Amino acid sequence: MMKGIPVKLRLTLGIAAALAASVHVAAHADTAADVKQQCGSCHALDRDYAKAAKHERAERKAPPLDFAGNKFRREWLYSWLQNPVRLRPAGVFPPAHAKPSADGDVVDTTTLAKHPALDAAQAGKVADYLMTLTPFDGLIAAETYQPGTIAQRMGQMNFGKFKGCDGCHQDAPDTGGVSGPELYTAWQRLQPAFISAYIAQPAAWDPHTMMPVGDANTAAVHKLANYLKLIGEKQP
């Protein structure tokens, strides 16, 4: 490709390319170090937590991010990091944020930490780094889910009455349980293949998850995924 280009110029171009590559590697390393320093105190960024005792789940301050690149949509990460909103009404370990009341246990919101907002440049770097964390490419590659459709009423009945997902999750604001993340924006933030793969095998992703394995046949899993697609596409 460099035929006809003077030797000195070829050497100069080669050196420039090498320097650019080294700068890119150094920048990635710097971002990784920053993320580990600033985010690692709350989020697990490697698989070591999976080897810990079960009580590790109770000590979490935030969900693990070691498979963020298999889980999230990059554009959502970039936006959310600049304007973080709470996804888990009762935090990552609900018993730690419950307090008694006349109506039973309620969420003590004063105990819930707020996620810091990043500027656009920081958010872009962090999002790009998190998208490199992909230890479960095999699970994603094996996934057969193709987004489809489902009737609103049938999807809602399946989510709540038949599968009981609303015991932990919300499929609309302030509608449903609070011990799991809200799911009415799940389609916006999560990759479709991840949604299906996680519903089918939650413990394969997080061995300490509190999410049960329900009716894990493929058709049932895809029906739930399609409902999350339906309600997610209606969100602003």
Side-chain angles (χ1 to χ4, degrees), residues 7-234:
V7 173
K8 287 185 177 180
L9 180 55
R10 272 186 273 172
L11 288 173
T12 300
L13 291 173
I15 292 171
L19 287 173
S22 65
V23 168
H24 175 75
V25 171
H28 179 80
D30 288 344
T31 300
D34 288 343
V35 170
K36 289 177 181 178
Q37 180 180 10
Q38 298 176 23
C39 308
S41 61
C42 293
H43 297 277
L45 295 167
D46 55 46
R47 295 301 294 166
D48 286 346
Y49 76 90
K51 304 172 186 176
K54 288 185 178 180
H55 64 73
E56 177 274 340
R57 184 69 177 76
E59 298 171 354
R60 290 183 185 177
K61 298 178 182 178
L65 291 178
D66 64 293
F67 51 88
N70 292 130
K71 178 179 181 179
F72 294 111
R73 297 179 188 260
R74 193 270 179 193
E75 63 273 20
W76 178 86
L77 270 178
Y78 174 67
S79 176
W80 188 88
L81 287 168
Q82 296 176 72
N83 183 31
V85 294
R86 191 172 305 286
L87 302 173
R88 298 168 181 265
V92 72
F93 187 65
H97 305 288
K99 66 178 181 180
S101 75
D103 298 320
D105 286 351
V106 296
V107 178
D108 183 358
T109 57
T110 64
T111 66
L112 297 172
K114 292 183 178 180
H115 195 285
L118 307 183
D119 62 35
Q122 290 174 317
K125 290 179 180 179
V126 172
D128 286 341
Y129 172 71
L130 291 178
M131 293 306 295
T132 69
L133 304 181
T134 56
F136 292 123
D137 283 343
L139 290 177
I140 294 297
E143 184 53 52
T144 61
Y145 173 63
Q146 294 296 322
T149 60
I150 190 171
Q152 172 82 32
R153 185 176 180 182
M154 180 55 69
Q156 192 170 25
M157 288 179 61
N158 184 57
F159 182 86
K161 185 176 182 179
F162 300 152
K163 296 295 188 292
C165 304
D166 61 350
C168 296
H169 301 280
Q170 298 181 0
D171 62 346
D174 300 319
T175 303
V178 299
S179 59
E182 56 86 351
L183 294 180
Y184 49 87
T185 67
W187 191 259
Q188 297 176 352
R189 68 179 183 267
L190 305 176
Q191 297 175 34
F194 169 80
I195 292 175
S196 181
Y198 190 86
I199 293 173
Q201 303 180 75
W205 294 82
D206 180 357
H208 300 163
T209 183
M210 294 192 296
M211 180 167 165
V213 178
D215 185 356
N217 74 74
T218 301
V221 168
H222 291 182
K223 186 179 291 186
L224 283 170
N226 285 337
Y227 179 59
L228 298 186
K229 174 178 179 289
L230 174 70
I231 60 177
E233 289 179 339
K234 293 183 178 181

